[in-house]
Coordinates of all heavy atoms in Angstrom, one line a residue:
M217 N 4.4 3.5 8.3 CA 5.4 2.7 7.9 C 5.9 1.8 9.0 O 6.0 2.1 10.1 CB 6.7 3.5 7.4 CG 6.3 4.5 6.4 SD 6.0 3.8 4.8 CE 6.0 5.3 3.7
P218 N 6.1 0.4 8.6 CA 6.4 -0.4 9.6 C 7.8 -0.3 10.3 O 8.1 -0.7 11.4 CB 6.4 -1.8 8.9 CG 6.5 -1.5 7.5 CD 5.9 -0.1 7.3
D219 N 8.7 0.4 9.7 CA 10.0 0.6 10.2 C 10.2 2.0 11.0 O 11.3 2.4 11.3 CB 11.1 0.5 9.1 CG 10.8 1.4 7.9 OD1 9.9 2.3 8.0 OD2 11.6 1.3 6.9
G220 N 9.1 2.7 11.0 CA 9.1 4.0 11.8 C 9.5 5.2 10.9 O 9.7 6.3 11.4
K221 N 9.8 5.0 9.7 CA 10.2 6.1 8.8 C 9.0 6.7 8.3 O 7.9 6.2 8.4 CB 11.0 5.5 7.7 CG 12.3 5.0 8.0 CD 13.2 4.5 6.8 CE 14.6 3.9 7.3 NZ 15.3 3.4 6.0
T222 N 9.2 7.8 7.6 CA 8.1 8.5 6.7 C 8.4 8.3 5.3 O 9.6 8.1 5.0 CB 7.9 10.0 7.1 OG1 9.1 10.7 6.7 CG2 7.8 10.2 8.7
W223 N 7.5 8.7 4.5 CA 7.7 8.5 3.1 C 8.9 9.4 2.6 O 9.6 9.1 1.6 CB 6.4 8.9 2.3 CG 6.0 10.3 2.3 CD1 5.2 10.8 3.3 CD2 6.4 11.4 1.5 NE1 5.0 12.1 3.1 CE2 5.8 12.6 2.0 CE3 7.3 11.5 0.5 CZ2 6.0 13.8 1.4 CZ3 7.5 12.8 -0.1 CH2 6.7 13.9 0.4
K224 N 9.2 10.5 3.3 CA 10.3 11.3 2.9 C 11.7 10.7 3.1 O 12.7 11.2 2.6 CB 10.2 12.6 3.7 CG 9.1 13.5 3.3 CD 9.0 14.7 4.2 CE 7.7 15.5 4.0 NZ 7.7 16.7 4.9
D225 N 11.7 9.6 3.9 CA 13.0 9.0 4.3 C 13.4 8.0 3.2 O 14.5 7.4 3.3 CB 12.9 8.2 5.7 CG 12.6 9.1 6.8 OD1 13.2 10.3 6.9 OD2 11.8 8.7 7.7
Y226 N 12.7 7.8 2.2 CA 13.0 6.9 1.2 C 13.5 7.6 -0.1 O 12.9 8.7 -0.5 CB 11.8 6.0 0.8 CG 11.4 5.0 2.0 CD1 10.4 5.4 2.8 CD2 12.1 3.9 2.2 CE1 10.2 4.7 3.9 CE2 11.8 3.1 3.3 CZ 10.8 3.4 4.1 OH 10.5 2.7 5.2
S227 N 14.5 7.1 -0.8 CA 15.0 7.8 -2.1 C 14.1 7.5 -3.2 O 14.1 8.2 -4.1 CB 16.4 7.4 -2.3 OG 16.6 6.0 -2.5
L228 N 13.3 6.4 -3.2 CA 12.5 6.0 -4.3 C 11.1 5.9 -3.9 O 10.7 5.4 -2.9 CB 12.8 4.6 -4.9 CG 14.3 4.5 -5.5 CD1 14.5 3.1 -5.8 CD2 14.4 5.3 -6.8
R229 N 10.3 6.5 -4.7 CA 8.8 6.5 -4.4 C 8.2 5.1 -4.4 O 7.4 4.8 -3.5 CB 8.1 7.3 -5.6 CG 6.6 7.4 -5.3 CD 6.0 8.3 -6.4 NE 4.6 8.4 -6.2 CZ 3.8 8.8 -7.1 NH1 4.3 9.1 -8.4 NH2 2.5 8.9 -6.9
S230 N 8.8 4.2 -5.2 CA 8.3 2.8 -5.2 C 8.6 2.1 -3.8 O 7.8 1.4 -3.3 CB 8.9 2.0 -6.4 OG 10.4 2.0 -6.3
E231 N 9.8 2.4 -3.3 CA 10.2 1.9 -2.0 C 9.2 2.4 -0.9 O 8.8 1.6 -0.1 CB 11.6 2.2 -1.6 CG 12.1 1.5 -0.5 CD 13.6 1.9 -0.1 OE1 14.1 2.9 -0.7 OE2 14.1 1.1 0.7
A232 N 8.9 3.6 -1.0 CA 8.0 4.2 0.0 C 6.7 3.6 0.0 O 6.1 3.3 1.0 CB 8.0 5.8 -0.2
K233 N 6.2 3.3 -1.3 CA 4.8 2.7 -1.5 C 4.9 1.2 -1.0 O 3.9 0.8 -0.4 CB 4.4 2.7 -3.0 CG 4.0 4.1 -3.4 CD 3.6 4.0 -4.9 CE 2.9 5.3 -5.3 NZ 1.5 5.2 -5.3
E234 N 5.9 0.5 -1.2 CA 6.1 -0.8 -0.7 C 6.0 -0.9 0.9 O 5.4 -1.8 1.3 CB 7.4 -1.5 -1.3 CG 7.2 -1.9 -2.7 CD 8.5 -2.5 -3.3 OE1 9.6 -2.1 -2.8 OE2 8.4 -3.2 -4.2
M235 N 6.7 0.1 1.4 CA 6.8 0.1 2.9 C 5.4 0.5 3.4 O 4.9 0.0 4.4 CB 7.8 1.0 3.4 CG 9.2 0.4 3.1 SD 9.6 -1.4 3.6 CE 9.4 -1.2 5.3
A236 N 4.7 1.4 2.8 CA 3.4 1.9 3.2 C 2.5 0.7 3.1 O 1.7 0.5 3.9 CB 2.9 3.0 2.3
K237 N 2.5 -0.2 2.0 CA 1.7 -1.3 1.8 C 1.9 -2.4 2.9 O 1.0 -2.9 3.5 CB 2.0 -1.9 0.5 CG 1.3 -3.2 0.2 CD 1.7 -3.6 -1.2 CE 1.2 -5.0 -1.4 NZ 1.6 -5.5 -2.9
A238 N 3.2 -2.6 3.2 CA 3.6 -3.5 4.3 C 3.0 -3.0 5.6 O 2.5 -3.8 6.4 CB 5.1 -3.6 4.4
G239 N 3.1 -1.8 5.9 CA 2.6 -1.2 7.2 C 1.1 -1.3 7.2 O 0.5 -1.7 8.3
A240 N 0.3 -1.0 6.1 CA -1.1 -1.2 6.1 C -1.5 -2.6 6.3 O -2.5 -2.9 7.1 CB -1.7 -0.7 4.7
L241 N -0.8 -3.6 5.7 CA -1.1 -4.9 5.9 C -0.8 -5.5 7.3 O -1.6 -6.1 7.8 CB -0.4 -5.8 4.8 CG -0.8 -5.8 3.4 CD1 0.1 -6.4 2.5 CD2 -2.2 -6.1 3.2
K242 N 0.2 -5.0 7.9 CA 0.5 -5.3 9.2 C -0.5 -4.8 10.2 O -1.1 -5.5 11.1 CB 1.9 -4.8 9.7 CG 2.3 -5.1 11.0 CD 3.7 -4.6 11.3 CE 4.0 -4.8 12.8 NZ 5.2 -4.1 13.2
Y243 N -0.9 -3.6 10.0 CA -2.0 -3.0 10.8 C -3.3 -3.7 10.7 O -4.0 -4.0 11.6 CB -2.1 -1.5 10.5 CG -3.2 -0.8 11.4 CD1 -3.0 -0.6 12.7 CD2 -4.2 -0.1 10.8 CE1 -3.8 0.0 13.5 CE2 -5.1 0.5 11.6 CZ -5.0 0.6 13.0 OH -5.9 1.3 13.8
I244 N -3.7 -4.0 9.5 CA -5.0 -4.8 9.2 C -4.9 -6.2 9.9 O -5.9 -6.5 10.6 CB -5.3 -4.9 7.7 CG1 -5.7 -3.4 7.2 CG2 -6.4 -5.9 7.4 CD1 -5.7 -3.4 5.6
D245 N -3.8 -6.8 9.7 CA -3.7 -8.1 10.4 C -3.8 -8.0 12.0 O -4.3 -8.8 12.5 CB -2.3 -8.8 10.1 CG -2.3 -9.3 8.6 OD1 -3.4 -9.6 8.1 OD2 -1.2 -9.6 8.2
E246 N -3.2 -6.9 12.5 CA -3.3 -6.8 14.0 C -4.8 -6.5 14.3 O -5.3 -7.1 15.4 CB -2.5 -5.5 14.4 CG -1.1 -5.8 14.3 CD -0.1 -4.5 14.6 OE1 -0.7 -3.5 14.9 OE2 1.1 -4.7 14.4
L247 N -5.5 -5.7 13.5 CA -6.9 -5.5 13.9 C -7.7 -6.8 13.7 O -8.5 -7.0 14.5 CB -7.4 -4.4 12.9 CG -6.9 -3.0 13.2 CD1 -7.3 -2.0 12.2 CD2 -7.1 -2.4 14.6
I248 N -7.4 -7.5 12.7 CA -8.2 -8.7 12.5 C -7.9 -9.7 13.7 O -8.8 -10.4 14.1 CB -7.8 -9.4 11.2 CG1 -8.4 -8.6 10.0 CG2 -8.2 -11.0 11.1 CD1 -7.9 -9.0 8.7
G249 N -6.6 -9.7 14.1 CA -6.3 -10.5 15.4 C -7.0 -10.2 16.6 O -7.1 -11.0 17.6
Q250 N -7.5 -9.0 16.7 CA -8.3 -8.5 17.9 C -9.8 -9.2 17.8 O -10.4 -9.1 18.8 CB -8.5 -7.1 17.9 CG -7.2 -6.3 18.1 CD -7.4 -4.9 18.1 OE1 -8.5 -4.3 18.0 NE2 -6.2 -4.2 18.1
G251 N -10.0 -9.8 16.7 CA -11.4 -10.4 16.6 C -12.5 -9.4 16.5 O -12.4 -8.3 15.9
E252 N -13.6 -9.7 17.1 CA -14.8 -8.9 17.1 C -14.6 -7.5 17.6 O -15.1 -6.5 17.0 CB -15.9 -9.5 17.9 CG -17.3 -8.9 17.6 CD -17.9 -9.4 16.4 OE1 -17.5 -10.5 15.8 OE2 -18.6 -8.6 15.8
S253 N -13.7 -7.3 18.5 CA -13.4 -5.9 19.1 C -12.7 -5.1 18.1 O -12.7 -3.8 18.2 CB -12.6 -6.0 20.4 OG -11.4 -6.5 20.1
G254 N -12.0 -5.6 17.1 CA -11.3 -4.7 16.1 C -12.0 -4.6 14.8 O -11.7 -3.8 13.9
L255 N -13.3 -5.2 14.7 CA -14.1 -5.0 13.5 C -14.4 -3.7 13.1 O -14.2 -3.2 11.9 CB -15.3 -5.8 13.6 CG -16.2 -5.8 12.4 CD1 -15.5 -6.4 11.2 CD2 -17.5 -6.6 12.7
G256 N -14.9 -2.8 14.0 CA -15.2 -1.5 13.7 C -14.0 -0.6 13.3 O -14.1 0.2 12.3
T257 N -12.8 -0.9 13.8 CA -11.6 -0.1 13.5 C -11.2 -0.6 12.1 O -10.8 0.3 11.2 CB -10.5 -0.4 14.5 OG1 -11.0 0.0 15.8 CG2 -9.3 0.5 14.2
V258 N -11.3 -1.8 11.8 CA -10.9 -2.4 10.4 C -11.9 -1.7 9.4 O -11.4 -1.2 8.4 CB -11.1 -3.8 10.3 CG1 -11.0 -4.3 8.8 CG2 -10.1 -4.6 11.2
L259 N -13.2 -1.6 9.6 CA -14.0 -1.1 8.7 C -13.8 0.5 8.5 O -13.8 0.9 7.4 CB -15.5 -1.2 9.2 CG -15.9 -2.7 9.1 CD1 -17.3 -2.8 9.7 CD2 -15.9 -3.4 7.7
Q260 N -13.5 1.1 9.6 CA -13.3 2.6 9.6 C -11.9 2.8 8.8 O -11.8 3.7 7.9 CB -13.1 3.2 10.9 CG -12.7 4.6 11.0 CD -12.6 5.2 12.5 OE1 -12.3 4.4 13.3 NE2 -13.0 6.3 12.6
Y261 N -10.9 1.9 9.0 CA -9.7 2.1 8.3 C -9.8 1.9 6.9 O -9.2 2.6 6.0 CB -8.7 1.1 8.9 CG -7.2 1.2 8.3 CD1 -6.3 2.1 8.6 CD2 -6.9 0.3 7.3 CE1 -5.1 2.2 8.2 CE2 -5.5 0.4 6.7 CZ -4.7 1.4 7.1 OH -3.5 1.4 6.6
R262 N -10.5 0.9 6.5 CA -10.9 0.7 5.0 C -11.6 1.8 4.4 O -11.2 2.2 3.3 CB -11.7 -0.6 4.9 CG -11.1 -1.8 5.3 CD -10.3 -2.4 4.3 NE -11.0 -2.7 3.0 CZ -10.3 -2.9 1.8 NH1 -9.1 -2.8 1.7 NH2 -11.1 -3.0 0.8
M263 N -12.5 2.5 5.1 CA -13.2 3.6 4.5 C -12.2 4.8 4.4 O -12.3 5.5 3.4 CB -14.4 4.0 5.4 CG -15.5 3.0 5.3 SD -17.1 3.5 6.1 CE -16.6 4.2 7.7
Y264 N -11.4 5.2 5.4 CA -10.6 6.3 5.4 C -9.4 6.1 4.4 O -9.0 7.1 3.9 CB -10.0 6.5 6.8 CG -10.9 7.0 7.8 CD1 -10.6 7.1 9.1 CD2 -12.2 7.6 7.4 CE1 -11.5 7.6 10.0 CE2 -13.1 8.2 8.4 CZ -12.8 8.1 9.7 OH -13.6 8.6 10.7
H265 N -9.1 4.9 4.1 CA -7.8 4.6 3.3 C -8.3 4.0 2.0 O -7.4 3.2 1.4 CB -6.8 3.9 4.1 CG -6.4 4.6 5.3 ND1 -5.4 5.6 5.1 CD2 -6.6 4.4 6.5 CE1 -5.2 6.1 6.3 NE2 -5.9 5.4 7.2
Y266 N -9.5 4.1 1.5 CA -10.0 3.3 0.4 C -9.1 3.5 -0.9 O -8.7 2.6 -1.5 CB -11.4 3.9 0.0 CG -11.9 3.2 -1.2 CD1 -12.5 1.9 -1.2 CD2 -11.8 3.7 -2.4 CE1 -13.1 1.3 -2.3 CE2 -12.2 3.1 -3.6 CZ -12.9 1.8 -3.5 OH -13.4 1.2 -4.6
E267 N -8.7 4.7 -1.2 CA -7.9 5.0 -2.3 C -6.6 4.4 -2.3 O -6.0 3.7 -3.2 CB -7.7 6.5 -2.6 CG -7.1 6.9 -3.9 CD -7.1 8.4 -4.1 OE1 -8.0 9.1 -3.8 OE2 -6.1 8.8 -4.8
D268 N -5.9 4.4 -1.0 CA -4.6 3.8 -0.9 C -4.7 2.2 -1.1 O -4.0 1.7 -1.8 CB -4.0 4.1 0.5 CG -3.4 5.5 0.6 OD1 -2.9 6.0 -0.6 OD2 -3.3 6.0 1.6
L269 N -5.7 1.7 -0.4 CA -5.8 0.3 -0.4 C -6.3 -0.3 -1.8 O -6.0 -1.5 -2.0 CB -6.7 -0.1 0.7 CG -6.3 0.1 2.1 CD1 -7.4 -0.2 3.1 CD2 -5.0 -0.6 2.4
N270 N -7.1 0.4 -2.5 CA -7.6 0.0 -3.7 C -7.1 0.5 -5.0 O -7.3 0.0 -6.0 CB -9.1 0.2 -3.8 CG -9.8 -0.6 -2.7 OD1 -9.9 -1.9 -2.8 ND2 -10.3 0.0 -1.7
I271 N -6.1 1.5 -4.9 CA -5.5 2.1 -6.1 C -4.0 2.3 -5.9 O -3.2 1.8 -6.6 CB -6.2 3.5 -6.4 CG1 -7.7 3.3 -6.7 CG2 -5.5 4.1 -7.5 CD1 -8.5 4.6 -6.7
N272 N -3.6 3.1 -4.9 CA -2.3 3.5 -4.8 C -1.2 2.3 -4.4 O -0.2 2.3 -4.8 CB -2.0 4.6 -3.7 CG -2.8 5.9 -4.2 OD1 -2.9 6.2 -5.4 ND2 -3.3 6.6 -3.2
L273 N -1.8 1.4 -3.5 CA -0.7 0.3 -3.0 C -1.0 -1.0 -3.6 O -0.5 -1.9 -3.1 CB -1.0 0.4 -1.4 CG -0.6 1.7 -0.8 CD1 -0.8 1.5 0.8 CD2 0.8 2.1 -1.1
I274 N -1.7 -1.1 -4.7 CA -1.9 -2.4 -5.3 C -0.7 -2.7 -6.1 O 0.0 -1.9 -6.6 CB -3.2 -2.5 -6.2 CG1 -3.2 -1.5 -7.3 CG2 -4.4 -2.4 -5.3 CD1 -4.3 -1.7 -8.3
Y275 N -0.5 -4.0 -6.3 CA 0.7 -4.4 -7.0 C 1.1 -3.8 -8.2 O 2.2 -3.4 -8.5 CB 0.6 -6.0 -7.0 CG 1.7 -6.6 -7.8 CD1 3.0 -6.9 -7.3 CD2 1.5 -7.0 -9.2 CE1 3.9 -7.4 -8.0 CE2 2.6 -7.6 -10.0 CZ 3.8 -7.8 -9.3 OH 4.8 -8.4 -10.1
S276 N 0.1 -3.8 -9.1 CA 0.4 -3.3 -10.5 C 0.8 -1.7 -10.4 O 1.8 -1.4 -11.2 CB -0.8 -3.4 -11.4 OG -1.9 -2.7 -11.0
N277 N 0.2 -1.0 -9.7 CA 0.6 0.4 -9.6 C 2.0 0.6 -8.9 O 2.7 1.5 -9.4 CB -0.4 1.2 -8.8 CG -1.7 1.4 -9.6 OD1 -1.7 1.2 -10.8 ND2 -2.8 1.8 -8.9
I278 N 2.4 -0.1 -8.0 CA 3.7 -0.1 -7.4 C 4.7 -0.6 -8.5 O 5.7 0.1 -8.7 CB 3.8 -0.9 -6.1 CG1 3.0 -0.3 -5.1 CG2 5.3 -1.0 -5.7 CD1 2.9 -1.1 -3.8
E279 N 4.5 -1.6 -9.2 CA 5.4 -2.1 -10.3 C 5.5 -1.0 -11.3 O 6.5 -0.9 -11.9 CB 4.8 -3.4 -10.9 CG 5.0 -4.5 -9.9 CD 6.4 -4.7 -9.4 OE1 7.3 -4.9 -10.3 OE2 6.6 -4.8 -8.2
N280 N 4.4 -0.3 -11.7 CA 4.5 0.8 -12.7 C 5.3 1.9 -12.2 O 6.1 2.5 -13.0 CB 3.1 1.1 -13.2 CG 2.7 0.2 -14.3 OD1 3.4 -0.3 -15.1 ND2 1.3 0.0 -14.4
V281 N 5.2 2.2 -11.0 CA 6.0 3.3 -10.5 C 7.5 2.9 -10.6 O 8.4 3.6 -10.9 CB 5.7 3.6 -9.0 CG1 6.7 4.4 -8.3 CG2 4.3 4.3 -8.9
K282 N 7.8 1.6 -10.2 CA 9.2 1.2 -10.5 C 9.7 1.2 -11.9 O 10.8 1.7 -12.2 CB 9.3 -0.3 -10.1 CG 9.2 -0.6 -8.5 CD 9.4 -2.1 -8.3 CE 9.2 -2.4 -6.8 NZ 9.3 -3.8 -6.6
R283 N 8.8 0.9 -12.8 CA 9.1 1.0 -14.3 C 9.3 2.4 -14.7 O 10.4 2.7 -15.4 CB 8.0 0.4 -15.1 CG 7.9 -1.2 -14.9 CD 6.8 -1.8 -15.7 NE 7.2 -1.9 -17.1 CZ 8.0 -2.7 -17.7 NH1 8.6 -3.6 -17.0 NH2 8.2 -2.5 -19.1
I284 N 8.6 3.3 -14.2 CA 8.8 4.8 -14.5 C 10.2 5.2 -14.0 O 10.9 5.8 -14.6 CB 7.7 5.7 -13.8 CG1 6.4 5.4 -14.6 CG2 8.1 7.1 -13.8 CD1 5.2 6.0 -13.9
E285 N 10.5 4.8 -12.7 CA 11.8 5.1 -12.1 C 13.0 4.6 -12.9 O 14.0 5.2 -13.0 CB 11.9 4.6 -10.6 CG 11.0 5.3 -9.7 CD 10.8 4.6 -8.4 OE1 11.2 3.4 -8.2 OE2 10.2 5.3 -7.4
E286 N 12.7 3.4 -13.5 CA 13.7 2.7 -14.3 C 13.8 3.2 -15.8 O 14.6 2.8 -16.5 CB 13.7 1.2 -14.2 CG 13.9 0.7 -12.9 CD 13.5 -0.7 -12.7 OE1 13.0 -1.3 -13.5 OE2 13.5 -1.3 -11.5
G287 N 12.8 4.0 -16.1 CA 12.7 4.5 -17.5 C 12.1 3.5 -18.4 O 12.4 3.6 -19.8
L288 N 11.4 2.6 -17.9 CA 10.8 1.6 -18.8 C 9.3 1.9 -19.1 O 8.8 2.7 -18.3 CB 10.8 0.2 -18.0 CG 12.3 -0.4 -17.7 CD1 12.1 -1.6 -16.8 CD2 13.0 -0.7 -19.0
P289 N 8.7 1.4 -20.2 CA 7.3 1.6 -20.4 C 6.3 1.0 -19.3 O 6.6 0.0 -18.8 CB 7.2 1.0 -21.8 CG 8.1 0.0 -21.9 CD 9.3 0.5 -21.1
L290 N 5.3 1.6 -19.2 CA 4.3 1.0 -18.3 C 3.6 -0.2 -18.9 O 3.6 -0.4 -20.0 CB 3.1 2.0 -18.1 CG 3.6 3.4 -17.4 CD1 2.2 4.2 -17.3 CD2 4.1 3.1 -16.1
V291 N 3.2 -1.2 -18.0 CA 2.5 -2.4 -18.4 C 1.2 -2.4 -17.8 O 0.9 -1.9 -16.8 CB 3.3 -3.6 -18.1 CG1 4.7 -3.6 -18.8 CG2 3.6 -3.8 -16.6
N292 N 0.3 -3.2 -18.4 CA -1.1 -3.3 -17.9 C -1.0 -4.8 -17.2 O -1.1 -5.9 -17.8 CB -2.1 -3.4 -19.0 CG -3.5 -3.5 -18.5 OD1 -3.8 -3.4 -17.3 ND2 -4.4 -3.6 -19.4
I293 N -1.1 -4.7 -15.9 CA -1.1 -6.0 -15.0 C -2.5 -6.2 -14.7 O -3.1 -5.3 -13.9 CB -0.2 -5.9 -13.9 CG1 1.3 -5.7 -14.4 CG2 -0.3 -7.2 -13.0 CD1 2.3 -5.4 -13.3
T294 N -3.2 -7.2 -15.1 CA -4.6 -7.4 -15.0 C -5.1 -8.1 -13.7 O -6.2 -7.9 -13.2 CB -5.2 -8.1 -16.1 OG1 -4.5 -9.4 -16.2 CG2 -5.1 -7.4 -17.3
S295 N -4.1 -8.7 -13.0 CA -4.5 -9.3 -11.7 C -4.0 -8.5 -10.6 O -3.1 -8.8 -9.9 CB -3.9 -10.7 -11.6 OG -2.5 -10.7 -11.6
D296 N -4.8 -7.3 -10.3 CA -4.5 -6.5 -9.2 C -4.9 -7.1 -7.9 O -6.0 -7.7 -7.8 CB -5.1 -5.1 -9.4 CG -4.5 -4.3 -10.3 OD1 -3.2 -4.5 -10.6 OD2 -5.1 -3.4 -10.9
H297 N -4.1 -6.9 -6.9 CA -4.4 -7.3 -5.5 C -3.5 -6.5 -4.6 O -2.3 -6.1 -5.0 CB -4.3 -8.8 -5.3 CG -3.0 -9.4 -5.9 ND1 -1.9 -9.2 -5.2 CD2 -2.8 -9.9 -7.1 CE1 -0.9 -9.9 -6.0 NE2 -1.5 -10.3 -7.1
L298 N -4.0 -6.4 -3.4 CA -3.0 -5.6 -2.4 C -1.8 -6.4 -2.1 O -0.8 -5.9 -1.7 CB -3.9 -5.3 -1.2 CG -3.2 -4.5 -0.1 CD1 -2.8 -3.0 -0.7 CD2 -4.1 -4.3 1.1
V299 N -1.9 -7.8 -2.0 CA -0.8 -8.5 -1.4 C 0.1 -9.1 -2.6 O -0.3 -9.0 -3.7 CB -1.2 -9.7 -0.6 CG1 -1.8 -9.2 0.7 CG2 -2.3 -10.6 -1.3

């Protein structure tokens, strides 16, 4: 998490997911900023965190967690992306 907290420090699951996503994007940006020397670490991170980066932390899944928390029905958001 970018603010030094753990997922247990958040009262809402959606908030924890949003912060995890922000932390993942920040870390990936830092590795990309390293250029060629960070390439191996970026690839390893992507492999180790495939499910988070491609399923758990995508926009539509976070939005649906928010809807569940608010007691609203789930929606099908077709333009999934991490950012």
Side-chain angles (χ1 to χ4, degrees):
M217 304 286 192
D219 55 5
K221 295 181 180 180
T222 69
W223 64 271
K224 295 177 187 179
D225 295 321
Y226 296 97
S227 59
L228 295 175
R229 186 175 177 201
S230 60
E231 186 180 15
K233 284 179 172 265
E234 286 176 333
M235 294 308 295
K237 176 179 165 178
L241 290 172
K242 180 180 176 188
Y243 182 62
I244 290 169
D245 282 344
E246 289 172 4
L247 293 174
I248 290 170
Q250 294 176 9
E252 196 70 31
S253 65
L255 180 60
T257 307
V258 169
L259 295 174
Q260 182 181 28
Y261 184 80
R262 293 278 303 160
M263 289 188 316
Y264 287 166
H265 299 280
Y266 178 85
E267 189 171 323
D268 283 333
L269 297 173
N270 293 290
I271 299 168
N272 298 326
L273 300 180
I274 59 173
Y275 173 77
S276 65
N277 286 342
I278 293 174
E279 289 303 307
N280 275 326
V281 168
K282 285 181 187 177
R283 293 181 68 79
I284 290 168
E285 291 167 348
E286 296 169 1
L288 299 171
L290 299 180
V291 295
N292 183 12
I293 302 171
T294 57
S295 62
D296 280 339
H297 47 80
L298 184 61
V299 289

